[in-house]
Amino acid sequence: MLEVRELNSQYGGAKILHGVTMTLGANEVVALLGRNGAGKSTTMKSIMGMVRQKSGSVLYEGAEMLGRPSHVICRAGVGYVPEERRIFKELTVEENLSVGKREKRADAPEWTLDHLYTLFPNLKERRRNLGKHLSGGEQQMLTIARTLMGNPKVVLLDEPSEGIAPVIVEQMAHVIAELKREGLSVLISEQNLHFARLVSDRAYIIEKGQMRYEGTFAELDAQPEVSAKYLAV
Amino acid sequence: MGFYLAQLLTGLANASSLFLIACGLSIIFGVTRIVNFAHGSFYMLGAYLSYTLVTHLSALGALGFWGGVLVSALLVGVIGLLVEVLILRRIYRAPELFQLVATFGILLIIEDAALAIWGAQDLLGPRAPGLSKAVRILGEPIPQYDLALIVIGPVVLGLIWLIFHRTRWGVLVRAATQDREMVGALGVNQALLFSSAFFLGSVMAGLGGALQIPREAVNLNMDLSVIGDAFVVVVIGGMGSVTGAFIAAVLISVLNAFAVLVFPQISLVLPFIVMALVLVVRPYGLLGKPGSEKGAPADPEAPLRPLNPAGRLAMGAVVVILALVPLVSADFTMILLVDVLIAVLFAASLHFIMGTGGMISFGHAAYFGVGAYAAALVVKWLGLSMVPAMIVAPVASGLAALVFGWFCVRLSGVYLGMLTLAAAQIVWGVTFQWQDVTGGDDGIIGVWPAKWASSETAYFYLALVLCAGGVWLLRRAAHAPFGYMLRGIRDSEIRAEAIGVDTRFHQWMAFTFAGTLAGLAGVVSAFAKGSVFPDVLNISSSIDALIMVLLGGIHTLLGPLLGASVFVLIESWVTRLEYWRFIFGLIILGVVLIAPDGLAGALSRLLAFLKARIRPGTDTKKEALHGQRS
């Protein structure tokens, strides 16, 4: 589905990623684990064409995406949910959703407003409210719903559990399970090992811009020294 | 009573004109984050085109007039679209300075093109058929056309509101105004969105200009004279807010209509005073949102490096060679070289604010001018001689920078730049109007150097010592802990604050320091020329300094030195030609598009390339990086 090979990225003079390689299979949920500043967000932004200085390869369904503008990558079927809930604060919930709307895709599920409102009942109640008047959890739900309006096949979820209440984290886990049930592939970046284990099939660990570990959670649990070294704070 | 109502209606009619041009500017800024000086040119082109079209279509009556106006607006939209696609699209990721200077280059080109097509004389356009008379309201004659304008403004506001809230395109534009990168990641083609927004904005500028022909003569100064007020309106309203622009246009125009009754000279400065007051209370304008001040996202800066021994040697050599020039060359060369030295210090002081301090200034000429005028005034009114004047002048400009800087550092991004522009315009306006003291447009003459410095050679040495000394001080400051702090604040204000740096204080001091040295450049210039005129304070003069910094390359401390030298040399050659603005505009665009890291950057790339050829196996990229930042 998505294959990243030897990805190097930098901002100005600062190199962030050093030869990152990873894959995301069809209908798979994969966690990208790592501490703050390890390079999780930069990996996602590089896949999405939002980092300018980069080299390597990002293959989506066999086609090279590296160097293409983000709207082309999005239209190809890759949805991106940013961290820090970058909703459009001065637009209403429904306007936010309409910005994300794209044509129906033959090979991916179509998300209608009704379908999204069943998945995110809060948003329906607040559909006429401005983005800035939503709670943190509602904003997080809105960013996901907005990306789903583009009917993606692959979703990149950047730190979905960051800074939201435990009850919303639970709802988030439910949403990710629903995405998998609908046949999507999901890459989530996480610092929260517990949450990642709950929702994903496999994990990568990134540290200082390099991949340090790849495997299932069972394998990761068998080597406590790995998570102690790369994840413990 | 009738008289006051008439004033109010005149104010409202002016507000409509101002709103049309300002809302286009605001839309363009909101989406593309470009501070577009060429918007004034689009306004002027709208007026010229509609003058030609409406005159030719006059047989058709009202249809000819309104048809001509609309077609001109659309034609201007197409011209704007061409400018966007051919030039601006390439520099969306460049620092604000590039965009600003590039749009100024476009302004110069359009100005000379208009001169070639329509000539230099003022053109009086026809009146609108059916609206050419005045109606009496409470006994006062009110032009019918003014009443039409009063209606047109709110109607256009309503139409734009509908487009922005009822169409998908409008929703996308509003979304892009808040976070354009995210809009791209959601699958929207930014290039198309930018181009279409630019088209709409240019149409509005063209419409504003086209509707102006029955009210004022079309002339070649319309571009720069309107752009200052348009910026003010956009900033007061909040950048990117169309409704804000409307409120601000009404506020400014109505205030102005009444203020001139009390104090006729105020109209030049009033908009800028209002802007300064509004920004101090509301740093994002009336309806602006936090974040609306940010320009285009640019790559972070690489660290500055101190000069290596070879570089120091080279700089020393340049000073020594300059010191030897009088032995071999004529007076004319020395006069030119004094101009170069002055420009170098002026540009270096601006670079200190922008490159090291990370604050954009559109009004640096204020401090240069205050220095020059302070010297001239103490010579003229107190009878002081050159040396005391040279001490008083930088202190005066430093004080001016201290006062204005206090307000400016409270803002950031484009708002800060606009407030510096406002400060410069206020100083210019006061100087221009206060005839009894400053001589107004006639300036102050007879500012001659002391006897010992009156020969070309002696004054050249004096200028060399003062300017080289000033540049050395600026470099010292950039590499001192003070400079580290400034760069830290520039790169991340939040982090600098978190480690206990008083960010505002440091920026304030940097502003004052740079203003003081600009004043030093100003006083050297005043005595070199023997006179001072208000021109040294105007927008063009501030932009000259920006061009010098850009020409040299903003990322290096050597940049302004090179840029200022080349600028003065090119200017002294090109201004003798007939269409020099056109040529100069082309040169500016050439630099922006071909050598975006400026001459210093281009030079060090060339050096690195040569080095790699001579010593195969060295890492070219690394060398280039080193070279660029020295």
Side-chain angles (χ1 to χ4, degrees), chain A residues 11-12 48 50 52 70-71 74-75 80 82 86 88-91 95 98-99 101-102 146, chain B residues 93 165 168 171-172 174-175 178-179 181-190 289 299-300:
Chain A
Y11 292 110
M48 208 56 211
M50 296 163 86
R52 279 204 307 157
S70 11
H71 73 269
C74 170
R75 290 177 186 187
Y80 166 67
R86 285 164 68 175
F88 305 114
K89 292 200 169 70
E90 305 294 330
L91 266 55
E95 283 173 334
S98 78
V99 173
K101 184 163 177 55
R102 306 240 63 90
R146 186 180 64 181
Chain B
R93 309 235 17 156
H165 288 84
R168 176 170 164 80
V171 172
L172 292 183
R174 281 161 58 220
Q178 293 163 45
D179 188 344
E181 190 189 43
M182 199 56 229
V183 171
L186 288 169
V188 177
N189 185 342
Q190 287 194 49
K289 303 290 185 279
D299 283 332

Side-chain angles (χ1 to χ4, degrees), chain B residues 14 50 106 189 209 226 289 294 355 363 383 386 408 504 527 534 555 600:
Chain B
N14 290 338
S50 94
I106 296 165
N189 185 342
V226 82
K289 303 290 185 279
K294 291 198 184 74
M386 183 186 78
C408 292
R504 269 187 195 168
F527 283 106
H555 297 299

Side-chain angles (χ1 to χ4, degrees), chain B residues 234-276:
Chain B
V234 170
V235 168
I236 293 180
M239 315 231 20
S241 166
V242 173
T243 315
F246 185 79
I247 298 172
V250 171
L251 179 73
I252 290 281
S253 305
V254 172
L255 264 182
N256 194 46
F258 288 104
V260 290
L261 298 178
V262 189
F263 189 36
Q265 289 93 340
I266 202 163
S267 62
L268 272 182
V269 243
L270 180 85
F272 295 96
I273 294 175
V274 175
M275 169 161 100

Side-chain angles (χ1 to χ4, degrees), chain A residues 207-225:
Chain A
E207 191 224 26
K208 291 183 182 155
Q210 285 174 306
M211 279 304 181
R212 303 292 187 180
Y213 176 83
E214 172 189 357
T216 63
F217 282 93
E219 287 161 4
L220 184 59
D221 289 340
Q223 305 160 262
E225 71 283 0

Side-chain angles (χ1 to χ4, degrees), chain A residues 102-114:
Chain A
R102 306 240 63 90
E103 302 280 297
K104 179 178 162 20
R105 209 182 304 281
D107 53 358
E110 188 189 8
W111 298 83
T112 57
L113 274 183
D114 285 343

Side-chain angles (χ1 to χ4, degrees), chain B residues 228-229 232-233 235-236 251-252 255-256 259 263 265-282 404 407 418-430 433:
Chain B
D229 286 352
V232 167
V233 167
V235 168
I236 293 180
L251 179 73
I252 290 281
L255 264 182
N256 194 46
F263 189 36
Q265 289 93 340
I266 202 163
S267 62
L268 272 182
V269 243
L270 180 85
F272 295 96
I273 294 175
V274 175
M275 169 161 100
L277 290 178
V278 168
L279 284 185
V280 169
V281 184
R282 291 192 60 96
F404 288 128
F407 293 100
M418 289 298 160
L419 196 57
T420 59
L421 179 73
Q425 286 300 98
I426 291 170
V427 175
W428 174 79
V430 169
Q433 302 273 13

Side-chain angles (χ1 to χ4, degrees), chain B residues 355-429:
Chain B
T356 310
M359 297 174 277
I360 188 156
S361 169
F362 299 156
H364 201 50
Y367 311 104
F368 184 88
V370 166
Y373 265 98
L377 289 172
V378 297
V379 168
K380 189 180 171 197
W381 294 105
L382 301 181
L384 293 186
S385 63
M386 183 186 78
V387 175
M390 280 190 165
I391 295 168
V392 169
V395 174
S397 59
L399 281 176
L402 196 72
V403 173
F404 288 128
W406 188 86
F407 293 100
C408 292
V409 299
R410 275 160 173 68
L411 308 178
S412 56
V414 179
Y415 289 102
L416 189 160
M418 289 298 160
L419 196 57
T420 59
L421 179 73
Q425 286 300 98
I426 291 170
V427 175
W428 174 79

